[in-house]
Amino acid sequence: MAILLILALPFVGICFPLLMQRHGRLAAALAAGIPTLVAFVILMSLAPSVFAGDVLVASRDWVPQLGLSAGLRVDGLGFLFAAMTLGIGLLVIHYAYFYMSKEDRLGRFFAYLLLFMGAMLGIVLSENVLLMALFWEITSLSSFLLIGYSSHRSEARQGARMALTITGLGGLSLFAGLVLLGQIAGSYELTEILASGEQIVAHDWYLPMLLLVLLGAFTKSAQFPFHFWLPNAMAAPTPVSAYLHSATMVKAGVFLLARLHPALSGADVWVYLVGGVGMVTMCYAAYVAFFRHDLKGLLAYSTISHLGLITALFGFGTSGAAVVGVFHIMNHAAFKASLFMTAGIIDRQTGTRDIRGLGKLHGAMPYTMVLALLGAAAMAGIPLLNGFLSKEFFLKETLSVPLMAGTPWLFPTVATVGAIFGMAYSVRLVHGVFFEPTDNKTPKEADDPSFGLLLPVAILVAICVVVGVAAEWTAGPTLAAASAHVVGGDLPSYSLTMWHGFTLELLMSAIAIVVGVAVYVQRRRLYDFAERVWPELTGKMVFEKVLGLVVGFARGLTTRLENGSLQRYVALLLGMAIVAGAIPFVQYGYVSGTQAITPTNPVAVAVWGLLIVAALATVFTHRHRISAIICLSVVGLLISIVFVYMSAPDLALTQLSVEVVTILLLLLALFVLPKVAPVEGSRKRKVRDAGLAVLGGLGMGAISWAVMTRPQQSISDFYLENATYPVGGGTNVVNVILVDFRGFDTLGEVAVLVLAAFGIFSMLRYAHHTYVEGVPDTADDRYPLVLVSASRPLLALILLMALFIFLRGHYLPGGGFIGGLVASVALITQYLASGIDWTTERMRLNFRSVAVAGLLIATAAGAVAVLIDSPFLTMTLLDVNLPLVGQSDFVMTLLFDLGILLAVVGATMTILSELSHMQEVEPYDEEQRAKETDPWKP
Amino acid sequence: MEALIASAIAVLGGSGIYLVLRARTFTVILGLAMLAIAVNLFLLSMGRVVPGHAPVIEEGLETAAYVDPLPQAVVLTAIVIGFAMMSFAVVLAISAHFVTGTDHLDGEEEAP
């Protein structure tokens, strides 16, 4: 519970600063600070049990089918990171309140910050690795928002985009890696993953999984060659740089290495990859940092270098190195956050961050100078400060990497070179800003800032000093508790004292300090040298080049595929479908079944012959559209005969009535569209299309032949056995399936029909404005006497028939669908015979309302079941035999079917009447019309 | 009998595909209608050919004797949905004709 509260507080807190910002900046800062403080206090209350070595787990199933649980855990490592996230978070909130411009209301800023804080806590407190991946993504996103906070500046937007691209890419890769890891370990719970290290390392998938996970960790922790996003992320406001890009978010990568250390570190490839990348990054970034003139740029590369150092420590694969790695995570967070804040102060008080424009500030900013001096000394690894301890231990560990026994000098040399430049850029940071003689005037008159701005820096520097002097007492317990879960076994013996005698690592440290100062003294020559041989190729350029290539490729592909011709898309689509359908034929060969063939008969052959002729005639007459419609209607009618033969009376009825409305619809369309199409299309295209048509047709025929000649296995026995009372309550199984077993499907499908009708309605209403021209009426006889006279009595008869078909539907072929279509035909006939005006005058029904009413009735019929605690659309719910009505179950299905009927009538009529309203025929003599449309009127 | 049905599906499907690939909206709609018929017949054929045994329960008949009712239920809704889809396509074609002044699929006559 306490764990959940720690995680939930920042997320819940997101809305507080947004709500409070109208009451001023202080209110917004307090609104962000209080949830953080409360979460911090709760976390501290867990400290005793964590130091006792307990692992507190709170887990709840979320999507158990995917192995996803909302599991949280607090162990030593999670505790350390959560404490860093919340503690430094508090200091950053305090700092930001004083640092940010007075015009900024800060609500949005603190909301982003809390979002990040919650996500970071999520990463470090997750028990389930999939959950961890989720929070990992949120940190990338919130980092994007925070880097781009000053969204009016293009470098902020660029930096934000680059950070998101790189870390987001890594996040996806990490996700894939974690899924693989979960598959290998058989569980997504950390407890089980950490316990099955040997099994994981021995698995065939170990290497791909490791590469994917490492890609995630390296991109997040800005390891070479993915480091370049971090310097560009310095466009973020300084509090963000201090928090995300030095102390916490970039540590998520090394946290992951630490977290999975017990499970993954057992292989040689781990040492080469993680250790190697870490060492390269550590040395390279330290070298680059020395040449950065921007304070934050220098600190960014320094951060990359230190992250490389930590990565390398976890990569050595020894338990001693892992402990040092954890120790340096703590130390680095303290001194680097303080230095970033100091850089922000210098920027704010002088108006520039460029070291070349600064100097001699020790007089104007004495307090800042002292704090910067101590922070930089910790960073350089000067004795009596915490940085000295962990760097000393790091140098010691490089001497004894088991796998590097063949080249024992390699890692120590690289480490010493890195340390030399670490010393050099630290000296530069302090000397260049505070002591170097300069004639430059800073843009603003420099002075020490207010106490409020210095306070968080002072606290962090105090930590550096205290840990440096008395590490065992202060950092010892936390370090031991955290390291226990990184080592994955018994802790090695180590001593956090400063003096270990005259050792090799002490010599290396001394070399680093002396040579580092010498490098700084010789800086002018080095700058000139670097100016001359500075590599043209930077990470940012490569990134932009690659991005440009990808975008160019995508754009080229898009323009080539998508040339605006729908015809081509359809051809491509069908072609793909045919290829996809053909693959199994090629793969497994085509074998027809052995089922006995149903004997044929002359009538069937005749129908078949007519069908083929009508289909081909439709194709050949397609340019003369009226003829084509007639041919198509022949096909439709013949198909209903086929349905009858295939024992599908319901389908035959439906097909018959749909055919009528379809043909009407197509004829109506020809009011507007040309009745004859031009001759067009190259011969080549026709051959291509004919080829596709033959292949597609043959494929369909071949599949159905293969199926029909094989014996059947179907799930339908269930429907046949249960169609009757008491389960289904009908004898027409098709109708029972529609209104009962698969009622939800049916409801959805009529909803589609109604939606289509509404779409058509709105489209045509809009189109009316553009269409006013009269259509020349070429009919010789507008209102044929026979049709008009016959349509009146037919209306009643057909409607009666529709009712009959509807009512018997549950027991014999029929039902709501068919009844609805037949009723529509009856109504449409009136439009056809007597014209629109005559019919509209008499039929004052809003068919859209009818359609909606139908849907509502059907839904209500289904919802009755919910009232008595059965699933939606349960039809057999009341087992009561009512007089006259029969089984009450029958009433519910009838009601449902009535809804279907009304929806079908409403939708069909909306569609057809809207279409027929479109044409404005030539004016006709009113008296003549009245006479013709009402022949029976005296 | 199965051969007749399979070949009919092939001819209907092929005709539908050819029509769908033409350049005029109305012809495409004709093709869609034809293709819908072919697909419906195809789906129904998955229930095999069982003449004379509609899925209407009669006393004293084994379940194995009836034709499979499930494809029929599927096809029934497919016919109605097919109608909805076709009407929508018709109205789209008409609207496009209003807007572009042509019934060519690409919204403009091909360059000669």
Side-chain angles (χ1 to χ4, degrees):
Chain A
M1 190 60 212
I3 313 178
L4 185 66
L5 208 58
I6 294 170
L7 181 59
L9 271 167
F11 282 118
V12 175
I14 290 172
C15 54
F16 296 162
L18 292 173
L19 292 172
M20 293 306 284
Q21 64 171 345
R22 75 179 66 171
H23 301 297
R25 304 170 76 246
L26 185 60
L30 285 175
I34 289 170
T36 314
L37 185 64
V38 174
F40 189 70
V41 170
I42 298 175
L43 181 73
M44 286 306 139
S45 74
L46 300 177
S49 51
V50 170
F51 288 157
D54 292 352
V55 179
L56 311 170
V57 175
S59 185
R60 225 196 134 112
D61 272 351
W62 186 5
V63 189
Q65 296 88 341
L66 296 176
L68 188 59
S69 71
L72 300 175
R73 77 185 251 148
V74 177
D75 59 11
L77 187 64
F79 176 83
L80 166 64
F81 269 87
M84 269 170 31
T85 307
L86 288 166
I88 298 182
L90 266 178
L91 296 179
V92 164
I93 290 171
H94 174 100
Y95 177 80
Y97 168 70
F98 288 97
Y99 175 84
M100 299 292 276
S101 146
K102 288 276 177 280
E103 283 83 61
D104 197 325
R105 293 171 69 192
L106 293 179
R108 196 163 57 95
F109 180 78
F110 283 131
Y112 291 164
L113 213 61
L114 285 175
L115 175 67
F116 164 76
M117 189 186 289
M120 188 69 203
L121 286 172
I123 293 180
V124 300
L125 298 181
S126 284
E127 158 73 359
N128 186 291
V129 290
L130 295 180
L131 193 67
M132 184 198 283
L134 179 81
F135 285 118
W136 185 282
E137 289 298 306
I138 304 179
T139 58
S140 297
L141 290 173
S142 53
S143 161
F144 170 80
L145 292 170
L146 282 165
I147 299 171
Y149 182 70
S150 316
S151 51
H152 55 276
R153 284 163 51 218
S154 82
E155 60 174 54
R157 294 196 302 270
Q158 271 181 12
R161 213 171 49 208
M162 187 186 288
L164 183 66
T165 312
I166 299 293
T167 56
L169 206 69
L172 288 177
S173 153
L174 172 71
F175 185 53
L178 290 179
V179 169
L180 274 184
L181 179 61
Q183 295 292 325
I184 295 172
S187 168
Y188 291 104
E189 305 297 310
L190 266 178
T191 313
E192 295 190 30
I193 290 174
L194 296 184
S196 42
E198 283 173 24
Q199 177 195 341
I200 293 169
V201 172
H203 200 279
D204 286 345
W205 293 351
Y206 173 74
L207 188 61
M209 183 273 297
L210 183 69
L211 289 175
L212 288 168
V213 169
L214 288 184
L215 193 61
F218 288 171
T219 49
K220 200 74 159 187
S221 280
Q223 294 300 292
F224 183 85
F226 309 108
H227 60 283
F228 53 87
W229 70 265
L230 189 59
N232 287 292
M234 290 302 131
T238 301
V240 174
S241 308
Y243 190 31
L244 273 69
H245 303 128
S246 72
T248 53
M249 189 186 88
V250 289
K251 295 275 171 61
V254 287
F255 166 78
L256 188 74
L257 297 179
R259 178 93 280 178
L260 297 176
H261 192 267
L264 302 185
S265 64
D268 291 358
V269 62
W270 168 275
V271 178
Y272 293 129
L273 267 177
V274 182
V277 167
M279 291 306 289
V280 169
T281 309
M282 184 251 165
C283 184
Y284 165 79
Y287 169 77
V288 175
F290 179 66
F291 296 96
R292 305 303 283 195
H293 302 304
D294 175 25
L295 272 179
K296 279 177 78 178
L298 186 154
L299 288 174
Y301 272 100
S302 149
T303 302
I304 297 171
S305 170
H306 281 272
L307 288 168
L309 188 156
I310 298 167
T311 305
L313 280 167
F314 289 127
F316 292 163
T318 57
S319 50
V323 175
V324 180
V326 176
F327 190 37
H328 197 66
I329 288 176
M330 300 161 70
N331 293 337
H332 177 254
F335 66 69
K336 194 51 68 67
S338 85
L339 283 172
F340 263 108
M341 289 181 184
T342 312
I345 291 173
I346 294 166
D347 184 16
R348 192 170 178 277
Q349 300 304 112
T350 66
T352 180
R353 294 195 318 235
D354 194 321
I355 300 176
R356 289 167 299 186
L358 294 164
K360 258 197 335 192
L361 286 176
H362 65 277
M365 305 174 77
Y367 293 110
T368 316
M369 186 272 285
V370 171
L371 293 175
L373 182 65
L374 287 171
M379 176 164 77
I382 303 294
L384 288 181
L385 291 155
N386 62 353
F388 170 74
L389 293 175
S390 46
K391 197 176 75 177
E392 190 81 347
F393 299 156
F394 162 69
L395 293 173
K396 176 167 176 258
E397 291 300 330
T398 58
L399 294 169
S400 55
V401 181
L403 264 183
M404 300 305 286
T407 48
W409 48 269
L410 182 62
F411 278 5
T413 313
V414 174
T416 311
V417 172
I420 289 170
F421 280 101
M423 181 66 199
Y425 66 65
S426 304
V427 175
R428 177 165 190 228
L429 182 72
V430 177
H431 186 262
V433 173
F434 294 102
F435 297 102
E436 189 156 35
T438 175
D439 302 329
N440 288 347
K441 275 266 171 226
T442 51
K444 278 184 6 198
E445 192 66 38
D447 60 347
D448 259 333
S450 66
F451 175 69
L453 205 51
L454 284 174
L455 179 67
V457 188
I459 292 175
L460 287 167
V461 168
I463 292 174
C464 295
V465 176
V466 171
V467 171
V469 176
E472 189 56 57
W473 296 341
T474 48
T478 319
L479 177 63
S483 304
H485 296 278
V486 179
V487 172
D490 294 330
L491 275 181
S493 62
Y494 58 88
S495 148
L496 291 181
T497 50
M498 214 179 305
W499 181 252
H500 291 103
F502 290 102
T503 53
L504 198 49
E505 59 265 23
L506 189 67
L507 178 66
M508 287 157 73
S509 256
I511 292 174
I513 292 171
V514 173
V515 180
V517 172
V519 165
Y520 179 70
V521 171
Q522 293 296 318
R523 60 191 178 281
R524 304 247 175 264
R525 286 193 201 168
L526 271 166
Y527 294 156
D528 291 344
F529 170 75
E531 202 78 20
R532 268 183 285 126
V533 299
W534 191 254
E536 285 295 309
L537 199 73
T538 65
K540 190 179 174 185
M541 282 166 61
V542 175
F543 173 79
E544 268 157 18
K545 193 92 184 162
V546 169
L547 210 62
L549 280 176
V550 171
V551 170
F553 173 75
R555 192 169 288 149
L557 196 68
T558 311
T559 43
R560 282 188 58 187
L561 284 177
E562 199 177 314
N563 63 347
S565 164
L566 282 177
Q567 255 184 300
R568 165 184 259 193
Y569 305 161
V570 176
L572 278 175
L573 200 68
L574 285 170
M576 291 301 283
I578 289 169
V579 169
I583 288 172
F585 282 124
V586 177
Q587 199 173 354
Y588 300 108
Y590 183 78
V591 189
S592 29
T594 52
Q595 178 97 322
I597 301 294
T598 321
T600 179
N601 61 57
V603 180
V605 175
V607 170
W608 175 82
L610 275 174
L611 194 61
I612 303 295
V613 170
L616 294 176
T618 317
V619 173
F620 285 109
T621 59
H622 79 258
R623 282 184 42 246
H624 303 279
R625 290 172 173 175
I626 306 265
S627 322
I629 291 176
I630 292 170
C631 296
L632 183 68
S633 73
V634 173
V635 173
L637 294 177
L638 288 168
I639 282 296
S640 57
I641 297 177
V642 176
F643 286 162
V644 170
Y645 172 78
M646 292 179 77
S647 302
D650 284 282
L651 293 192
L653 280 170
T654 316
Q655 176 68 30
L656 208 58
S657 34
V658 160
E659 199 53 37
V660 175
V661 271
T662 303
I663 299 305
L664 279 177
L665 185 80
L666 291 175
L667 287 171
L668 282 172
L670 286 190
F671 269 117
V672 180
L673 300 172
K675 287 173 194 60
V676 178
V679 183
E680 66 186 334
S682 62
R683 198 182 156 72
K684 207 174 120 194
R685 170 166 290 182
K686 280 181 182 158
V687 170
R688 180 198 76 180
D689 294 350
L692 279 177
V694 168
L695 283 176
L698 281 179
M700 286 172 73
I703 294 172
S704 68
W705 168 257
V707 171
M708 280 190 289
T709 49
R710 282 174 167 77
Q712 183 176 18
Q713 288 170 319
S714 167
I715 57 167
S716 294
D717 286 349
F718 170 81
Y719 298 122
L720 286 163
E721 279 158 16
N722 293 298
T724 48
Y725 185 80
V727 182
T731 52
N732 180 8
V733 184
V734 175
N735 186 269
V736 174
I737 290 176
L738 285 176
V739 299
D740 198 335
F741 289 128
R742 301 180 62 84
F744 221 155
D745 268 8
T746 311
L747 191 61
E749 302 199 36
V750 286
V752 172
L753 183 67
V754 172
L755 279 178
F758 273 75
I760 287 167
F761 174 76
S762 50
M763 259 201 287
L764 286 180
R765 277 292 148 99
Y766 176 71
H768 275 206
H769 305 290
T770 54
Y771 191 66
V772 284
E773 218 176 304
V775 176
D777 196 340
T778 49
D780 295 335
D781 189 356
R782 268 196 193 197
Y783 305 102
L785 183 64
V786 177
L787 187 59
V788 175
S789 328
S791 67
R792 302 297 147 73
L794 268 180
L795 173 70
L797 282 175
I798 303 180
L799 282 180
L800 198 64
M801 189 173 104
L803 185 68
F804 171 67
I805 289 176
F806 159 66
L807 282 177
R808 64 181 230 150
H810 217 45
Y811 296 98
L812 292 166
F817 271 119
I818 306 168
L821 287 166
V822 171
S824 307
V825 172
L827 298 173
I828 288 287
T829 319
Q830 304 308 308
Y831 282 101
L832 271 185
S834 312
I836 296 172
D837 300 334
W838 185 90
T839 320
T840 322
E841 276 166 34
R842 281 156 189 79
M843 197 149 49
R844 298 214 184 90
L845 257 181
N846 182 341
F847 287 109
R848 279 162 288 140
S849 310
V850 174
V852 173
L855 271 186
L856 288 178
I857 289 174
T859 315
V864 171
V866 180
L867 293 181
I868 59 162
D869 284 340
S870 297
F872 184 59
L873 283 170
T874 309
M875 291 301 177
T876 42
L877 35 102
L878 295 172
D879 206 7
V880 188
N881 207 337
L882 297 172
L884 291 177
V885 181
Q887 293 293 337
S888 61
D889 152 52
F890 175 72
V891 176
M892 295 317 294
T893 47
L894 199 67
L895 201 61
F896 182 76
D897 222 7
L898 177 69
I900 304 294
L901 178 136
L902 289 178
V904 170
V905 172
T908 315
M909 290 307 292
T910 307
I911 293 168
L912 289 173
S913 67
E914 277 310 311
L915 266 174
S916 39
H917 269 102
M918 231 173 28
Q919 21 126 1
E920 276 186 25
V921 290
E922 287 162 10
Y924 197 57
D925 182 44
E926 221 20 66
E927 208 174 308
Q928 183 71 18
R929 185 176 74 98
K931 216 162 126 188
E932 282 185 20
T933 51
D934 272 329
W936 291 327
K937 231 180 207 167
Chain B
M1 208 66 220
E2 279 82 356
L4 293 186
I5 291 168
S7 57
I9 292 171
V11 172
L12 289 172
S15 310
I17 290 175
Y18 186 79
L19 289 174
V20 162
L21 289 169
R22 306 273 51 79
R24 301 282 156 179
T25 51
F26 189 80
T27 322
V28 171
I29 291 166
L30 285 181
L32 280 178
M34 185 81 89
L35 208 52
I37 291 175
V39 169
N40 286 341
L41 191 55
F42 176 82
L43 287 178
L44 189 63
S45 77
M46 296 297 119
R48 312 300 190 276
V49 184
V50 186
H53 288 288
V56 179
I57 305 289
E58 290 169 46
E59 283 295 323
L61 212 56
E62 281 178 55
T63 41
Y66 299 104
V67 71
D68 190 346
L70 197 56
Q72 297 197 9
V74 172
V75 171
L76 203 152
T77 43
I79 294 175
V80 179
I81 292 278
F83 170 67
M85 180 196 72
M86 210 184 65
S87 358
F88 201 84
V90 163
V91 174
L92 265 184
I94 290 172
S95 305
H97 188 256
F98 286 148
V99 176
T100 61
T102 166
D103 67 334
H104 195 283
L105 209 54
D106 299 341
E108 54 185 17
E109 292 294 330
E110 271 168 57

